[in-house]
Amino acid sequence: MARTLTTGSPWRVILAFSVPLLIGNVVQQLYQVADAVVVGRWLGVDALAAVGATGSLIFLLLGFAWGLTSGFAIPTAQAFGAQDAVAVRRSVAAGATLTAVTSVLLTLLAPMVARPALAVLQTPAQLMDDAVVFAQISFLGASTMMFFNFLSAIIRAIGDSRTPLVFLSLSCALNVGLVVVMVGPWGWGVAGAALATVVSQAVSVLLCLEFVRRRVPVLRLTRHDWRLTRHDLTRHLRLGLPMGFQASIIAIGTLAVQVRLNELGADAVASYTTASRVDGLAIALLMSLGLATSMYVAQNHGGGRPDRIRRGVGQAVWMSLIGAVVLGALLIVFGSSLVRLFVGDGSDGVVHDAALMLVINGASYGILAVLFVLRGALQGLGHTMIPTVTGVVELVARVGAAVVLGAIFGFVGVVWSNPLAWVGAVVILVPAYLRAHRELARMPVTPAVPTPTAAIPVVGPHDGGMVVDAIVTQPIALPQQPSAAPRGHLIRVLARRRSRRDRARSR
């Protein structure tokens, strides 16, 4: 349901809004954690490394598709805000058509390029076969991921953010159960881990479709809704492609990191993969606060409350910094114990390197906290150039660090690619937001008026410290009551007409 953030204590409303996003982010990471724990404990370090070796390739292709389908829901939110039910259904039909076409292309082409792409990434020979199997099954099931993300996005577009979270949680629980059974008793290896995710997401798609059929009449399509024009399709592509390219830019950085890790050997891949799973759960909190800040700023900007924006962003930074300190301390103290949950005995080298990565990242969470909040604030103000530039800077810093520092310092040099990328982005974000902060101080303040908004939090694939995140807002058109002045004027006109008719009859 729609949520208003233009009244109340800023830090309270930001924190309250971030909780569902946090739950969704954590649940999303549990997919990868479940695979890593089961594969690492039951199949061994090499199998875990094989799954990790596919991460950057899957992130590149499916990340683009994820952002693409999320963008298709933006016209749906706009049509819903305008209370145009016909446009809502046509938008859903256009998005579904483009999602289906993209799914077919990925399903047909991506499995064929899996082995050559992994070879280009210099995947170690002992990991190649398992990595190819995991990647091919993931690509063959790409349609389930795409349609689940698309259906979740259009349900959020009409103001319902809870239902997608419920389905995502059910999918995660099913995934955990299936991966245990398929990898353990059934002995399907890494293929079972990939298939468990595909099946669980397919079940979620069916649940979403049944929910729409039973509970959401505005999204039920008729035969006429499928008569799409070129304008319908191009409009959705104009919005979806930029979000897909944002994911691709980030994914290119992960490819450079993956190449350097593959050159360092299977243990380095396993260490990075394990630490990334733990790191992803910790980052989910910081990312959720950034998304909530974006929504908060967007609503208050639309409501003419620059004073609340200035106060709220400052409070969000402090909340995020406190969370970063707590999370970083936990990883530094308990990093080794957490890593041992993923790998069995005899993997002390993997545990040491993964714990070292958690220490380096955890000590840098303060920088990431500022990055998420300030980038979210600028996005909420409608600034698109600076967030895009920071993505490019992260790419350059991550690739440069992975290539140069990885060649000099090995695994430790690759690990430093994430904090250095965060620093590069923050160096640009801080002065950009300070300028916006000063501009907000000069803006007039209008009386507080609640601004209901349909929010579409978009959280894409996560790989280490690299995420696809965005938030799209669209004001909901509320029914307007006629003002007292026109109503009184109408009554006076009718009274004069009645008086003239009475006088004419008396004559």
Side-chain angles (χ1 to χ4, degrees):
M1 58 186 301
R3 184 187 295 269
T4 296
L5 306 179
T6 53
T7 59
S9 174
W11 74 268
R12 290 180 184 273
V13 296
I14 292 174
L15 184 61
F17 187 82
S18 68
V19 170
L21 298 178
L22 171 61
I23 296 173
N25 287 334
V26 171
V27 169
Q28 190 69 41
Q29 302 312 313
L30 289 178
Y31 274 123
Q32 298 181 15
V33 170
D35 288 344
V37 171
V38 175
V39 171
R41 298 289 294 185
W42 289 12
L43 301 180
V45 171
D46 280 354
L48 176 62
V51 173
T54 66
S56 57
L57 180 61
I58 292 175
F59 186 58
L60 175 63
L61 296 180
L62 297 191
F64 173 80
W66 190 292
L68 186 73
T69 54
S70 298
F72 293 160
I74 297 175
T76 307
Q78 294 171 341
F80 181 76
Q83 297 184 332
D84 188 342
V86 174
V88 168
R89 294 194 301 270
R90 289 182 65 84
S91 173
V92 173
T97 300
L98 293 171
T99 299
V101 171
T102 308
S103 298
V104 171
L105 292 176
L106 271 178
T107 303
L108 293 178
L109 300 179
M112 293 189 293
V113 304
R115 183 176 290 274
L118 289 170
V120 170
L121 294 176
Q122 302 181 25
T123 303
Q126 69 267 34
L127 308 181
M128 179 62 78
D129 290 340
D130 281 345
V132 170
V133 169
F134 189 87
Q136 287 179 335
I137 294 177
S138 298
F139 291 143
L140 288 172
S143 59
T144 61
M145 180 277 295
M146 292 186 63
F147 272 101
F148 177 62
N149 185 65
F150 173 69
L151 290 169
S152 298
I154 63 173
I155 292 173
R156 293 190 189 102
I158 62 172
D160 182 359
S161 60
R162 294 182 180 179
T163 299
L165 175 59
V166 171
F167 291 148
L168 180 62
S169 301
L170 292 174
S171 177
C172 181
L174 179 60
N175 180 72
V176 172
L178 288 176
V179 75
V180 170
V181 173
M182 291 180 176
V183 174
W186 294 1
W188 290 1
V190 295
L195 188 60
T197 300
V198 172
V199 172
S200 61
Q201 289 184 331
V203 171
S204 297
V205 170
L206 296 177
L207 291 174
C208 285
L209 291 173
E210 182 63 14
F211 173 79
V212 169
R213 188 183 71 85
R214 289 178 175 269
R215 301 287 185 86
V216 194
V218 71
L219 298 180
R220 296 176 194 160
L221 305 185
T222 64
R223 182 180 301 177
H224 179 73
D225 297 324
W226 293 99
R227 298 174 182 173
L228 303 171
T229 65
R230 179 181 298 181
H231 173 74
D232 294 328
L233 299 177
T234 55
R235 181 190 179 204
H236 285 71
L237 286 173
R238 281 199 303 268
L239 293 167
L241 286 175
M243 296 183 68
F245 287 136
Q246 179 187 357
S248 298
I249 290 174
I250 298 173
I252 293 172
T254 72
L255 290 174
V257 172
Q258 190 67 59
V259 169
R260 181 59 68 187
L261 287 171
N262 291 341
E263 292 175 349
L264 295 175
D267 283 353
V269 177
S271 300
Y272 195 91
T273 301
T274 304
S276 295
R277 301 302 186 256
V278 179
D279 184 61
L281 288 172
I283 287 177
L285 172 62
L286 306 179
M287 183 171 61
S288 300
L289 284 171
L291 289 170
T293 301
S294 180
M295 180 65 189
Y296 171 87
V297 170
Q299 286 201 13
N300 283 278
H301 185 56
R305 295 302 306 272
D307 57 325
R308 283 181 57 82
I309 294 175
R310 286 161 53 88
R311 192 163 66 251
V313 172
Q315 293 176 3
V317 168
W318 281 111
M319 283 193 296
S320 193
L321 284 173
I322 293 172
V325 171
V326 173
L327 291 170
L330 290 175
L331 291 190
I332 292 172
V333 175
F334 301 105
S336 297
S337 300
L338 292 172
V339 171
R340 290 191 182 278
L341 296 175
F342 291 78
V343 298
D345 297 332
S347 303
D348 293 339
V350 172
V351 173
H352 175 270
D353 287 346
L356 177 62
M357 176 174 168
L358 292 178
V359 170
I360 293 174
N361 280 5
S364 308
Y365 278 170
I367 302 170
L368 186 63
V370 175
L371 186 157
F372 278 137
V373 171
L374 296 189
R375 184 160 62 191
L378 290 172
Q379 288 173 335
L381 289 170
H383 298 179
T384 57
M385 179 60 69
I386 293 299
T388 302
V389 170
T390 59
V392 175
V393 170
E394 283 190 74
L395 165 65
V396 173
R398 186 169 281 117
V399 172
V403 173
V404 177
L405 297 183
I408 299 174
F409 300 106
F411 181 81
V412 176
V414 175
V415 168
W416 274 103
S417 65
N418 282 335
L420 290 177
W422 301 339
V423 170
V426 167
V427 167
I428 296 177
L429 284 170
V430 169
Y433 177 74
L434 290 178
R435 286 194 299 270
H437 191 77
R438 290 191 293 268
E439 292 174 0
L440 290 169
R442 295 191 291 268
M443 293 175 59
V445 177
T446 58
V449 178
T451 309
T453 305
I456 311 176
V458 179
V459 182
H462 184 292
D463 192 307
M466 294 147 281
V467 294
V468 182
D469 61 328
I471 190 159
V472 181
T473 61
Q474 173 62 27
I476 297 176
L478 298 176
Q480 300 296 320
Q481 298 295 331
S483 64
R487 184 166 57 245
H489 176 70
L490 178 62
I491 292 173
R492 289 192 296 271
V493 170
L494 293 176
R496 286 197 296 269
R497 290 180 179 176
R498 188 179 300 110
S499 176
R500 286 196 294 268
R501 285 198 302 268
D502 291 344
R503 289 196 297 269
R505 288 171 184 168
S506 63
R507 293 174 185 153

